[in-house]
Amino acid sequence: SQWGEENLQALSIQEGEDVTMNCSYKTYTTVVQWYRQKSGKGPALIILIRSNEREKRSGRLRATLDTSSQSSSLSITGTLATDTAVYFCAARNMGYKLTFGTGTSLLVDP
Amino acid sequence: EAGVTQSPRYAVLQEGQAVSFWCDPISGHDTLYWYQQPRDQGPQLLVYFRDEAVIDNSQLPSDRFSAVRPKGTNSTLKIQSAKQGDTATYLCASSLRGRGEQYFGPGTRLTVL
């Protein structure tokens, strides 16, 4: 999982496989956002889940949030080569500040 | 709609030199953020503005870093005397007040030799 002092995690899978990335957070939050960052680009929001939601779906993406364990996960089904990127979770506080995790580097081989 | 633009895209300096980064947020976005992203790490907030006011600069190394947003639109981040440890990508993001989504620019990749 990503957070704290951990280094960037790396995953390598084949196109078509499903993948799940985990994240644990330490600060109080009511919203966890997942961002995707492709090489040479800034991060882009792909899915957002609130504390009153246990699960959120958007196309091939599925996010879960467990506030009791302060953890979140992102699953991608039927991965494509274009899903190759670094994925970050970010905990948002009441002032809209984001605290990002260390990220998961996903490589999807075509 | 144009996205967040940043310039320059790359900068290479010797230690002790100064550098400025410029950010043009999405039109109408009142909140602007500057992040530092070291290689293989997540973005770390340095400072953020609402309109022209600094809301939080607690993570900005104030002895060498400064940031302004004088008219509540464009912003400049300056490093007065760069150190090798400043090597990172500097990202600018903007958002609308009360909306959680931040829109990021492509970043400026800084290398300090």
Side-chain angles (χ1 to χ4, degrees), chain A residues 6-8 33 35 37 39-45 48 88 92-93 95-103, chain B residues 9 33 35 37 40-45 48 50 56 58 91 98-107 109:
Chain A
E6 297 173 33
N7 294 326
L8 183 74
Q33 301 181 359
Y35 283 79
Q37 186 173 24
S39 181
K41 306 286 187 183
L45 180 67
L48 174 158
F88 296 99
R92 194 182 85 191
N93 73 6
Y96 296 95
K97 283 175 58 174
L98 293 179
T99 302
F100 282 82
T102 50
Chain B
R9 290 298 313 276
Y33 308 81
Y35 290 86
Q37 185 177 24
D40 292 341
Q41 294 185 33
Q44 298 158 17
L45 183 68
Y48 80 100
R50 187 151 296 135
D56 186 342
S58 60
L91 295 164
R99 301 292 297 272
E101 181 173 1
Q102 295 182 20
Y103 294 82
F104 284 81
R109 184 178 293 183

mmCIF file of all heavy atoms in Angstrom, chain A residues 6-8 33 35 37 39-45 48 88 92-93 95-103, chain B residues 9 33 35 37 40-45 48 50 56 58 91 98-107 109:
data_model
loop_
_atom_site.group_PDB
_atom_site.id
_atom_site.type_symbol
_atom_site.label_atom_id
_atom_site.label_comp_id
_atom_site.label_asym_id
_atom_site.label_seq_id
_atom_site.Cartn_x
_atom_site.Cartn_y
_atom_site.Cartn_z
ATOM 1 N N GLU A 6 7.043 4.836 2.566
ATOM 2 C CA GLU A 6 7.220 3.775 1.582
ATOM 3 C C GLU A 6 7.595 4.360 0.229
ATOM 4 O O GLU A 6 7.170 5.437 -0.148
ATOM 5 C CB GLU A 6 5.929 2.970 1.454
ATOM 6 C CG GLU A 6 5.531 2.265 2.733
ATOM 7 C CD GLU A 6 4.166 1.620 2.606
ATOM 8 O OE1 GLU A 6 3.838 1.172 1.502
ATOM 9 O OE2 GLU A 6 3.454 1.569 3.611
ATOM 10 N N ASN A 7 8.420 3.609 -0.518
ATOM 11 C CA ASN A 7 8.782 4.022 -1.863
ATOM 12 C C ASN A 7 7.648 3.712 -2.827
ATOM 13 O O ASN A 7 6.718 2.969 -2.504
ATOM 14 C CB ASN A 7 10.050 3.286 -2.297
ATOM 15 C CG ASN A 7 11.248 3.683 -1.470
ATOM 16 O OD1 ASN A 7 11.370 4.819 -1.056
ATOM 17 N ND2 ASN A 7 12.119 2.727 -1.219
ATOM 18 N N LEU A 8 7.770 4.293 -4.041
ATOM 19 C CA LEU A 8 6.807 4.026 -5.084
ATOM 20 C C LEU A 8 6.731 2.528 -5.327
ATOM 21 O O LEU A 8 7.745 1.863 -5.514
ATOM 22 C CB LEU A 8 7.260 4.740 -6.354
ATOM 23 C CG LEU A 8 6.363 4.648 -7.570
ATOM 24 C CD1 LEU A 8 5.147 5.534 -7.383
ATOM 25 C CD2 LEU A 8 7.145 5.046 -8.813
ATOM 26 N N GLN A 33 -9.497 10.862 -2.897
ATOM 27 C CA GLN A 33 -9.465 11.023 -4.350
ATOM 28 C C GLN A 33 -8.361 10.147 -4.907
ATOM 29 O O GLN A 33 -7.292 10.017 -4.313
ATOM 30 C CB GLN A 33 -9.201 12.485 -4.718
ATOM 31 C CG GLN A 33 -10.250 13.450 -4.171
ATOM 32 C CD GLN A 33 -9.990 14.888 -4.571
ATOM 33 O OE1 GLN A 33 -9.016 15.195 -5.235
ATOM 34 N NE2 GLN A 33 -10.891 15.782 -4.187
ATOM 35 N N TYR A 35 -5.895 9.769 -8.215
ATOM 36 C CA TYR A 35 -5.378 10.485 -9.368
ATOM 37 C C TYR A 35 -4.523 9.546 -10.213
ATOM 38 O O TYR A 35 -3.843 8.663 -9.684
ATOM 39 C CB TYR A 35 -4.526 11.681 -8.931
ATOM 40 C CG TYR A 35 -5.328 12.873 -8.463
ATOM 41 C CD1 TYR A 35 -5.883 12.906 -7.188
ATOM 42 C CD2 TYR A 35 -5.520 13.973 -9.292
ATOM 43 C CE1 TYR A 35 -6.614 14.002 -6.758
ATOM 44 C CE2 TYR A 35 -6.252 15.077 -8.874
ATOM 45 C CZ TYR A 35 -6.795 15.083 -7.606
ATOM 46 O OH TYR A 35 -7.522 16.172 -7.176
ATOM 47 N N GLN A 37 -1.423 9.711 -13.062
ATOM 48 C CA GLN A 37 -0.409 10.589 -13.639
ATOM 49 C C GLN A 37 0.353 9.838 -14.721
ATOM 50 O O GLN A 37 1.088 8.898 -14.431
ATOM 51 C CB GLN A 37 0.555 11.105 -12.569
ATOM 52 C CG GLN A 37 1.540 12.139 -13.099
ATOM 53 C CD GLN A 37 2.384 12.759 -11.989
ATOM 54 O OE1 GLN A 37 2.584 12.174 -10.934
ATOM 55 N NE2 GLN A 37 2.891 13.966 -12.226
ATOM 56 N N SER A 39 3.193 9.776 -17.868
ATOM 57 C CA SER A 39 4.547 10.297 -17.991
ATOM 58 C C SER A 39 4.554 11.693 -18.602
ATOM 59 O O SER A 39 3.956 11.934 -19.649
ATOM 60 C CB SER A 39 5.374 9.342 -18.857
ATOM 61 O OG SER A 39 6.688 9.814 -18.981
ATOM 62 N N GLY A 40 5.196 12.632 -17.916
ATOM 63 C CA GLY A 40 5.322 13.990 -18.417
ATOM 64 C C GLY A 40 4.091 14.858 -18.226
ATOM 65 O O GLY A 40 4.056 15.994 -18.716
ATOM 66 N N LYS A 41 3.104 14.337 -17.533
ATOM 67 C CA LYS A 41 1.865 15.085 -17.314
ATOM 68 C C LYS A 41 1.633 15.296 -15.822
ATOM 69 O O LYS A 41 2.235 14.636 -14.979
ATOM 70 C CB LYS A 41 0.670 14.313 -17.882
ATOM 71 C CG LYS A 41 0.804 13.903 -19.328
ATOM 72 C CD LYS A 41 0.646 15.067 -20.263
ATOM 73 C CE LYS A 41 0.603 14.601 -21.707
ATOM 74 N NZ LYS A 41 0.514 15.740 -22.650
ATOM 75 N N GLY A 42 0.719 16.215 -15.497
ATOM 76 C CA GLY A 42 0.295 16.366 -14.117
ATOM 77 C C GLY A 42 -0.763 15.335 -13.764
ATOM 78 O O GLY A 42 -1.361 14.718 -14.646
ATOM 79 N N PRO A 43 -0.989 15.110 -12.476
ATOM 80 C CA PRO A 43 -2.029 14.162 -12.058
ATOM 81 C C PRO A 43 -3.415 14.614 -12.524
ATOM 82 O O PRO A 43 -3.682 15.817 -12.615
ATOM 83 C CB PRO A 43 -1.941 14.199 -10.531
ATOM 84 C CG PRO A 43 -0.591 14.756 -10.217
ATOM 85 C CD PRO A 43 -0.276 15.689 -11.330
ATOM 86 N N ALA A 44 -4.281 13.647 -12.784
ATOM 87 C CA ALA A 44 -5.667 13.938 -13.179
ATOM 88 C C ALA A 44 -6.596 13.080 -12.332
ATOM 89 O O ALA A 44 -6.364 11.869 -12.185
ATOM 90 C CB ALA A 44 -5.876 13.655 -14.661
ATOM 91 N N LEU A 45 -7.630 13.700 -11.787
ATOM 92 C CA LEU A 45 -8.597 12.989 -10.941
ATOM 93 C C LEU A 45 -9.356 11.958 -11.764
ATOM 94 O O LEU A 45 -9.873 12.264 -12.842
ATOM 95 C CB LEU A 45 -9.577 13.977 -10.321
ATOM 96 C CG LEU A 45 -10.651 13.388 -9.416
ATOM 97 C CD1 LEU A 45 -10.033 12.822 -8.159
ATOM 98 C CD2 LEU A 45 -11.695 14.447 -9.062
ATOM 99 N N LEU A 48 -13.497 9.717 -7.101
ATOM 100 C CA LEU A 48 -13.542 10.323 -5.778
ATOM 101 C C LEU A 48 -14.561 9.542 -4.957
ATOM 102 O O LEU A 48 -15.633 9.190 -5.461
ATOM 103 C CB LEU A 48 -13.965 11.784 -5.931
ATOM 104 C CG LEU A 48 -14.253 12.676 -4.730
ATOM 105 C CD1 LEU A 48 -14.094 14.135 -5.158
ATOM 106 C CD2 LEU A 48 -15.653 12.457 -4.181
ATOM 107 N N PHE A 88 -2.125 7.635 -7.663
ATOM 108 C CA PHE A 88 -1.992 8.174 -6.313
ATOM 109 C C PHE A 88 -3.355 8.246 -5.644
ATOM 110 O O PHE A 88 -4.329 8.655 -6.273
ATOM 111 C CB PHE A 88 -1.433 9.601 -6.342
ATOM 112 C CG PHE A 88 -0.050 9.734 -6.870
ATOM 113 C CD1 PHE A 88 0.180 10.133 -8.177
ATOM 114 C CD2 PHE A 88 1.044 9.488 -6.052
ATOM 115 C CE1 PHE A 88 1.464 10.274 -8.668
ATOM 116 C CE2 PHE A 88 2.330 9.628 -6.525
ATOM 117 C CZ PHE A 88 2.536 10.018 -7.841
ATOM 118 N N ARG A 92 -8.372 14.220 1.405
ATOM 119 C CA ARG A 92 -8.718 15.637 1.399
ATOM 120 C C ARG A 92 -9.245 16.046 2.762
ATOM 121 O O ARG A 92 -10.100 15.362 3.316
ATOM 122 C CB ARG A 92 -9.782 15.912 0.339
ATOM 123 C CG ARG A 92 -9.982 17.378 0.009
ATOM 124 C CD ARG A 92 -11.087 17.544 -1.006
ATOM 125 N NE ARG A 92 -12.393 17.593 -0.356
ATOM 126 C CZ ARG A 92 -13.541 17.514 -1.015
ATOM 127 N NH1 ARG A 92 -13.550 17.347 -2.314
ATOM 128 N NH2 ARG A 92 -14.697 17.587 -0.361
ATOM 129 N N ASN A 93 -8.730 17.164 3.297
ATOM 130 C CA ASN A 93 -9.235 17.616 4.592
ATOM 131 C C ASN A 93 -10.321 18.666 4.395
ATOM 132 O O ASN A 93 -10.692 18.990 3.268
ATOM 133 C CB ASN A 93 -8.093 18.121 5.476
ATOM 134 C CG ASN A 93 -7.551 19.462 5.012
ATOM 135 O OD1 ASN A 93 -8.079 20.090 4.105
ATOM 136 N ND2 ASN A 93 -6.486 19.903 5.648
ATOM 137 N N GLY A 95 -10.363 21.737 4.636
ATOM 138 C CA GLY A 95 -9.948 22.942 3.932
ATOM 139 C C GLY A 95 -9.566 22.692 2.488
ATOM 140 O O GLY A 95 -8.994 23.558 1.845
ATOM 141 N N TYR A 96 -9.895 21.505 1.976
ATOM 142 C CA TYR A 96 -9.619 21.128 0.585
ATOM 143 C C TYR A 96 -8.137 20.944 0.313
ATOM 144 O O TYR A 96 -7.722 20.944 -0.837
ATOM 145 C CB TYR A 96 -10.252 22.108 -0.409
ATOM 146 C CG TYR A 96 -11.756 22.082 -0.327
ATOM 147 C CD1 TYR A 96 -12.443 22.996 0.468
ATOM 148 C CD2 TYR A 96 -12.483 21.110 -1.004
ATOM 149 C CE1 TYR A 96 -13.827 22.949 0.570
ATOM 150 C CE2 TYR A 96 -13.865 21.066 -0.905
ATOM 151 C CZ TYR A 96 -14.530 21.989 -0.111
ATOM 152 O OH TYR A 96 -15.887 21.945 -0.015
ATOM 153 N N LYS A 97 -7.323 20.801 1.362
ATOM 154 C CA LYS A 97 -5.933 20.417 1.141
ATOM 155 C C LYS A 97 -5.876 18.933 0.867
ATOM 156 O O LYS A 97 -6.585 18.151 1.481
ATOM 157 C CB LYS A 97 -5.097 20.718 2.387
ATOM 158 C CG LYS A 97 -4.735 22.170 2.567
ATOM 159 C CD LYS A 97 -4.017 22.398 3.871
ATOM 160 C CE LYS A 97 -2.759 21.579 4.014
ATOM 161 N NZ LYS A 97 -2.010 21.934 5.250
ATOM 162 N N LEU A 98 -5.002 18.550 -0.058
ATOM 163 C CA LEU A 98 -4.803 17.135 -0.376
ATOM 164 C C LEU A 98 -3.469 16.662 0.172
ATOM 165 O O LEU A 98 -2.461 17.340 0.021
ATOM 166 C CB LEU A 98 -4.810 16.925 -1.891
ATOM 167 C CG LEU A 98 -6.116 17.171 -2.641
ATOM 168 C CD1 LEU A 98 -5.908 16.926 -4.128
ATOM 169 C CD2 LEU A 98 -7.220 16.267 -2.108
ATOM 170 N N THR A 99 -3.484 15.485 0.798
ATOM 171 C CA THR A 99 -2.249 14.809 1.201
ATOM 172 C C THR A 99 -2.148 13.547 0.356
ATOM 173 O O THR A 99 -2.981 12.643 0.462
ATOM 174 C CB THR A 99 -2.271 14.458 2.690
ATOM 175 O OG1 THR A 99 -2.464 15.651 3.449
ATOM 176 C CG2 THR A 99 -0.968 13.802 3.104
ATOM 177 N N PHE A 100 -1.127 13.514 -0.508
ATOM 178 C CA PHE A 100 -0.965 12.413 -1.454
ATOM 179 C C PHE A 100 -0.162 11.277 -0.859
ATOM 180 O O PHE A 100 0.768 11.495 -0.064
ATOM 181 C CB PHE A 100 -0.229 12.908 -2.707
ATOM 182 C CG PHE A 100 -1.088 13.675 -3.664
ATOM 183 C CD1 PHE A 100 -1.341 15.023 -3.451
ATOM 184 C CD2 PHE A 100 -1.628 13.060 -4.775
ATOM 185 C CE1 PHE A 100 -2.123 15.750 -4.333
ATOM 186 C CE2 PHE A 100 -2.408 13.767 -5.669
ATOM 187 C CZ PHE A 100 -2.662 15.116 -5.449
ATOM 188 N N GLY A 101 -0.482 10.056 -1.286
ATOM 189 C CA GLY A 101 0.330 8.898 -0.982
ATOM 190 C C GLY A 101 1.524 8.835 -1.916
ATOM 191 O O GLY A 101 1.714 9.709 -2.774
ATOM 192 N N THR A 102 2.347 7.793 -1.745
ATOM 193 C CA THR A 102 3.585 7.687 -2.520
ATOM 194 C C THR A 102 3.355 7.158 -3.930
ATOM 195 O O THR A 102 4.210 7.315 -4.787
ATOM 196 C CB THR A 102 4.598 6.781 -1.820
ATOM 197 O OG1 THR A 102 3.952 5.564 -1.466
ATOM 198 C CG2 THR A 102 5.133 7.448 -0.561
ATOM 199 N N GLY A 103 2.214 6.547 -4.174
ATOM 200 C CA GLY A 103 1.890 6.139 -5.525
ATOM 201 C C GLY A 103 2.195 4.700 -5.865
ATOM 202 O O GLY A 103 3.032 4.051 -5.223
ATOM 203 N N ARG B 9 8.939 24.461 -18.924
ATOM 204 C CA ARG B 9 8.694 23.042 -18.699
ATOM 205 C C ARG B 9 9.896 22.374 -18.047
ATOM 206 O O ARG B 9 9.748 21.405 -17.312
ATOM 207 C CB ARG B 9 8.377 22.341 -20.013
ATOM 208 C CG ARG B 9 7.034 22.709 -20.612
ATOM 209 C CD ARG B 9 5.868 22.316 -19.693
ATOM 210 N NE ARG B 9 5.967 20.970 -19.186
ATOM 211 C CZ ARG B 9 5.566 19.888 -19.828
ATOM 212 N NH1 ARG B 9 5.028 19.997 -21.028
ATOM 213 N NH2 ARG B 9 5.685 18.691 -19.277
ATOM 214 N N TYR B 33 -2.788 26.162 -6.195
ATOM 215 C CA TYR B 33 -1.890 25.368 -5.352
ATOM 216 C C TYR B 33 -0.544 25.199 -6.055
ATOM 217 O O TYR B 33 -0.492 25.018 -7.271
ATOM 218 C CB TYR B 33 -2.461 23.968 -5.126
ATOM 219 C CG TYR B 33 -3.881 23.899 -4.625
ATOM 220 C CD1 TYR B 33 -4.958 24.037 -5.496
ATOM 221 C CD2 TYR B 33 -4.158 23.656 -3.279
ATOM 222 C CE1 TYR B 33 -6.263 23.951 -5.040
ATOM 223 C CE2 TYR B 33 -5.467 23.560 -2.814
ATOM 224 C CZ TYR B 33 -6.515 23.716 -3.704
ATOM 225 O OH TYR B 33 -7.802 23.628 -3.250
ATOM 226 N N TYR B 35 2.719 22.549 -5.723
ATOM 227 C CA TYR B 35 3.208 21.308 -5.136
ATOM 228 C C TYR B 35 4.646 21.054 -5.585
ATOM 229 O O TYR B 35 5.039 21.421 -6.692
ATOM 230 C CB TYR B 35 2.381 20.106 -5.616
ATOM 231 C CG TYR B 35 0.973 20.028 -5.089
ATOM 232 C CD1 TYR B 35 -0.072 20.697 -5.718
ATOM 233 C CD2 TYR B 35 0.677 19.247 -3.976
ATOM 234 C CE1 TYR B 35 -1.370 20.607 -5.245
ATOM 235 C CE2 TYR B 35 -0.620 19.138 -3.497
ATOM 236 C CZ TYR B 35 -1.644 19.825 -4.138
ATOM 237 O OH TYR B 35 -2.925 19.730 -3.664
ATOM 238 N N GLN B 37 7.031 17.755 -6.317
ATOM 239 C CA GLN B 37 6.967 16.308 -6.490
ATOM 240 C C GLN B 37 8.369 15.765 -6.756
ATOM 241 O O GLN B 37 8.853 15.798 -7.893
ATOM 242 C CB GLN B 37 6.023 15.914 -7.630
ATOM 243 C CG GLN B 37 5.845 14.410 -7.746
ATOM 244 C CD GLN B 37 4.856 14.006 -8.816
ATOM 245 O OE1 GLN B 37 4.599 14.740 -9.766
ATOM 246 N NE2 GLN B 37 4.276 12.816 -8.660
ATOM 247 N N ASP B 40 9.675 9.813 -8.081
ATOM 248 C CA ASP B 40 9.102 8.595 -7.502
ATOM 249 C C ASP B 40 8.368 8.839 -6.182
ATOM 250 O O ASP B 40 8.290 7.934 -5.349
ATOM 251 C CB ASP B 40 10.180 7.513 -7.308
ATOM 252 C CG ASP B 40 10.697 6.970 -8.624
ATOM 253 O OD1 ASP B 40 10.003 7.135 -9.643
ATOM 254 O OD2 ASP B 40 11.798 6.398 -8.634
ATOM 255 N N GLN B 41 7.846 10.036 -5.998
ATOM 256 C CA GLN B 41 7.047 10.331 -4.816
ATOM 257 C C GLN B 41 5.767 11.058 -5.225
ATOM 258 O O GLN B 41 5.646 11.546 -6.352
ATOM 259 C CB GLN B 41 7.825 11.194 -3.813
ATOM 260 C CG GLN B 41 9.026 10.499 -3.202
ATOM 261 C CD GLN B 41 9.669 11.354 -2.135
ATOM 262 O OE1 GLN B 41 8.991 12.103 -1.422
ATOM 263 N NE2 GLN B 41 10.971 11.243 -2.003
ATOM 264 N N GLY B 42 4.831 11.140 -4.310
ATOM 265 C CA GLY B 42 3.612 11.883 -4.559
ATOM 266 C C GLY B 42 3.822 13.379 -4.397
ATOM 267 O O GLY B 42 4.791 13.805 -3.756
ATOM 268 N N PRO B 43 2.949 14.186 -4.976
ATOM 269 C CA PRO B 43 3.051 15.641 -4.809
ATOM 270 C C PRO B 43 2.900 16.041 -3.344
ATOM 271 O O PRO B 43 2.098 15.462 -2.611
ATOM 272 C CB PRO B 43 1.882 16.174 -5.638
ATOM 273 C CG PRO B 43 1.542 15.073 -6.596
ATOM 274 C CD PRO B 43 1.840 13.807 -5.868
ATOM 275 N N GLN B 44 3.667 17.038 -2.941
ATOM 276 C CA GLN B 44 3.620 17.558 -1.576
ATOM 277 C C GLN B 44 3.299 19.045 -1.642
ATOM 278 O O GLN B 44 4.002 19.802 -2.302
ATOM 279 C CB GLN B 44 4.959 17.309 -0.872
ATOM 280 C CG GLN B 44 5.291 15.822 -0.740
ATOM 281 C CD GLN B 44 6.778 15.550 -0.561
ATOM 282 O OE1 GLN B 44 7.545 16.456 -0.230
ATOM 283 N NE2 GLN B 44 7.187 14.320 -0.762
ATOM 284 N N LEU B 45 2.236 19.449 -0.954
ATOM 285 C CA LEU B 45 1.781 20.831 -1.027
ATOM 286 C C LEU B 45 2.815 21.784 -0.431
ATOM 287 O O LEU B 45 3.317 21.566 0.674
ATOM 288 C CB LEU B 45 0.458 20.978 -0.279
ATOM 289 C CG LEU B 45 -0.175 22.362 -0.319
ATOM 290 C CD1 LEU B 45 -0.644 22.706 -1.736
ATOM 291 C CD2 LEU B 45 -1.350 22.444 0.654
ATOM 292 N N TYR B 48 -0.870 27.380 -0.862
ATOM 293 C CA TYR B 48 -2.026 27.593 -1.710
ATOM 294 C C TYR B 48 -2.700 28.923 -1.405
ATOM 295 O O TYR B 48 -2.584 29.454 -0.298
ATOM 296 C CB TYR B 48 -2.998 26.416 -1.714
ATOM 297 C CG TYR B 48 -3.965 26.264 -0.585
ATOM 298 C CD1 TYR B 48 -5.288 26.665 -0.732
ATOM 299 C CD2 TYR B 48 -3.591 25.632 0.590
ATOM 300 C CE1 TYR B 48 -6.208 26.460 0.282
ATOM 301 C CE2 TYR B 48 -4.496 25.427 1.614
ATOM 302 C CZ TYR B 48 -5.802 25.834 1.461
ATOM 303 O OH TYR B 48 -6.721 25.631 2.467
ATOM 304 N N ARG B 50 -6.202 31.528 -2.074
ATOM 305 C CA ARG B 50 -7.579 31.742 -2.488
ATOM 306 C C ARG B 50 -7.631 33.202 -2.927
ATOM 307 O O ARG B 50 -7.387 34.103 -2.116
ATOM 308 C CB ARG B 50 -8.563 31.460 -1.365
ATOM 309 C CG ARG B 50 -10.006 31.517 -1.846
ATOM 310 C CD ARG B 50 -10.908 30.619 -1.046
ATOM 311 N NE ARG B 50 -10.563 29.225 -1.197
ATOM 312 C CZ ARG B 50 -10.482 28.351 -0.176
ATOM 313 N NH1 ARG B 50 -10.697 28.748 1.063
ATOM 314 N NH2 ARG B 50 -10.178 27.097 -0.400
ATOM 315 N N ASP B 56 -2.359 28.915 3.149
ATOM 316 C CA ASP B 56 -1.477 28.031 3.899
ATOM 317 C C ASP B 56 -0.129 27.976 3.200
ATOM 318 O O ASP B 56 -0.051 27.561 2.047
ATOM 319 C CB ASP B 56 -2.086 26.631 3.997
ATOM 320 C CG ASP B 56 -1.279 25.692 4.896
ATOM 321 O OD1 ASP B 56 -0.096 25.969 5.173
ATOM 322 O OD2 ASP B 56 -1.839 24.657 5.316
ATOM 323 N N SER B 58 2.584 26.831 5.198
ATOM 324 C CA SER B 58 3.343 26.218 6.284
ATOM 325 C C SER B 58 4.416 25.239 5.806
ATOM 326 O O SER B 58 5.365 24.967 6.526
ATOM 327 C CB SER B 58 2.384 25.505 7.252
ATOM 328 O OG SER B 58 1.648 24.498 6.575
ATOM 329 N N LEU B 91 4.576 21.393 -9.528
ATOM 330 C CA LEU B 91 3.247 21.328 -10.125
ATOM 331 C C LEU B 91 2.376 22.460 -9.620
ATOM 332 O O LEU B 91 2.404 22.796 -8.438
ATOM 333 C CB LEU B 91 2.570 20.005 -9.757
ATOM 334 C CG LEU B 91 3.190 18.719 -10.295
ATOM 335 C CD1 LEU B 91 2.650 17.525 -9.534
ATOM 336 C CD2 LEU B 91 2.919 18.572 -11.775
ATOM 337 N N GLY B 98 -14.940 25.442 -2.896
ATOM 338 C CA GLY B 98 -16.004 24.519 -2.546
ATOM 339 C C GLY B 98 -16.075 23.279 -3.420
ATOM 340 O O GLY B 98 -16.896 22.406 -3.180
ATOM 341 N N ARG B 99 -15.205 23.209 -4.430
ATOM 342 C CA ARG B 99 -15.158 22.029 -5.280
ATOM 343 C C ARG B 99 -13.841 21.330 -5.009
ATOM 344 O O ARG B 99 -12.786 21.929 -5.065
ATOM 345 C CB ARG B 99 -15.249 22.433 -6.751
ATOM 346 C CG ARG B 99 -16.518 23.196 -7.097
ATOM 347 C CD ARG B 99 -17.750 22.334 -6.989
ATOM 348 N NE ARG B 99 -17.751 21.235 -7.922
ATOM 349 C CZ ARG B 99 -18.214 21.304 -9.151
ATOM 350 N NH1 ARG B 99 -18.725 22.442 -9.596
ATOM 351 N NH2 ARG B 99 -18.184 20.267 -9.943
ATOM 352 N N GLY B 100 -13.904 20.028 -4.742
ATOM 353 C CA GLY B 100 -12.695 19.335 -4.324
ATOM 354 C C GLY B 100 -11.734 18.994 -5.429
ATOM 355 O O GLY B 100 -10.567 18.746 -5.172
ATOM 356 N N GLU B 101 -12.185 18.949 -6.696
ATOM 357 C CA GLU B 101 -11.288 18.495 -7.746
ATOM 358 C C GLU B 101 -10.264 19.561 -8.074
ATOM 359 O O GLU B 101 -10.605 20.726 -8.314
ATOM 360 C CB GLU B 101 -12.057 18.147 -9.021
ATOM 361 C CG GLU B 101 -11.153 17.650 -10.139
ATOM 362 C CD GLU B 101 -11.908 17.147 -11.341
ATOM 363 O OE1 GLU B 101 -13.156 17.200 -11.318
ATOM 364 O OE2 GLU B 101 -11.262 16.703 -12.306
ATOM 365 N N GLN B 102 -9.008 19.151 -8.075
ATOM 366 C CA GLN B 102 -7.916 20.035 -8.466
ATOM 367 C C GLN B 102 -7.460 19.647 -9.859
ATOM 368 O O GLN B 102 -7.297 18.464 -10.163
ATOM 369 C CB GLN B 102 -6.766 19.934 -7.472
ATOM 370 C CG GLN B 102 -7.135 20.442 -6.080
ATOM 371 C CD GLN B 102 -5.979 20.392 -5.119
ATOM 372 O OE1 GLN B 102 -4.806 20.334 -5.519
ATOM 373 N NE2 GLN B 102 -6.261 20.430 -3.834
ATOM 374 N N TYR B 103 -7.228 20.644 -10.691
ATOM 375 C CA TYR B 103 -6.762 20.433 -12.054
ATOM 376 C C TYR B 103 -5.286 20.836 -12.101
ATOM 377 O O TYR B 103 -4.943 21.964 -11.752
ATOM 378 C CB TYR B 103 -7.569 21.292 -13.036
ATOM 379 C CG TYR B 103 -9.017 20.889 -13.114
ATOM 380 C CD1 TYR B 103 -9.935 21.335 -12.162
ATOM 381 C CD2 TYR B 103 -9.478 20.062 -14.135
ATOM 382 C CE1 TYR B 103 -11.271 20.970 -12.227
ATOM 383 C CE2 TYR B 103 -10.808 19.697 -14.207
ATOM 384 C CZ TYR B 103 -11.694 20.146 -13.245
ATOM 385 O OH TYR B 103 -13.016 19.775 -13.307
ATOM 386 N N PHE B 104 -4.462 19.905 -12.529
ATOM 387 C CA PHE B 104 -3.020 20.105 -12.506
ATOM 388 C C PHE B 104 -2.478 20.500 -13.868
ATOM 389 O O PHE B 104 -2.959 20.042 -14.917
ATOM 390 C CB PHE B 104 -2.309 18.814 -12.070
ATOM 391 C CG PHE B 104 -2.400 18.539 -10.597
ATOM 392 C CD1 PHE B 104 -3.533 17.954 -10.053
ATOM 393 C CD2 PHE B 104 -1.350 18.866 -9.753
ATOM 394 C CE1 PHE B 104 -3.626 17.699 -8.689
ATOM 395 C CE2 PHE B 104 -1.427 18.609 -8.392
ATOM 396 C CZ PHE B 104 -2.564 18.033 -7.865
ATOM 397 N N GLY B 105 -1.437 21.327 -13.834
ATOM 398 C CA GLY B 105 -0.670 21.607 -15.027
ATOM 399 C C GLY B 105 0.364 20.514 -15.254
ATOM 400 O O GLY B 105 0.491 19.598 -14.432
ATOM 401 N N PRO B 106 1.139 20.621 -16.336
ATOM 402 C CA PRO B 106 2.116 19.571 -16.667
ATOM 403 C C PRO B 106 3.367 19.602 -15.793
ATOM 404 O O PRO B 106 4.122 18.630 -15.770
ATOM 405 C CB PRO B 106 2.472 19.870 -18.121
ATOM 406 C CG PRO B 106 2.231 21.335 -18.256
ATOM 407 C CD PRO B 106 1.075 21.653 -17.358
ATOM 408 N N GLY B 107 3.581 20.711 -15.080
ATOM 409 C CA GLY B 107 4.725 20.793 -14.187
ATOM 410 C C GLY B 107 5.967 21.377 -14.829
ATOM 411 O O GLY B 107 6.094 21.432 -16.058
ATOM 412 N N ARG B 109 9.992 20.641 -14.561
ATOM 413 C CA ARG B 109 10.996 19.726 -14.015
ATOM 414 C C ARG B 109 12.280 20.491 -13.770
ATOM 415 O O ARG B 109 12.908 20.996 -14.694
ATOM 416 C CB ARG B 109 11.255 18.569 -14.977
ATOM 417 C CG ARG B 109 12.228 17.539 -14.420
ATOM 418 C CD ARG B 109 12.436 16.384 -15.349
ATOM 419 N NE ARG B 109 11.223 15.588 -15.471
ATOM 420 C CZ ARG B 109 11.145 14.470 -16.195
ATOM 421 N NH1 ARG B 109 12.193 14.044 -16.856
ATOM 422 N NH2 ARG B 109 10.026 13.812 -16.268
#
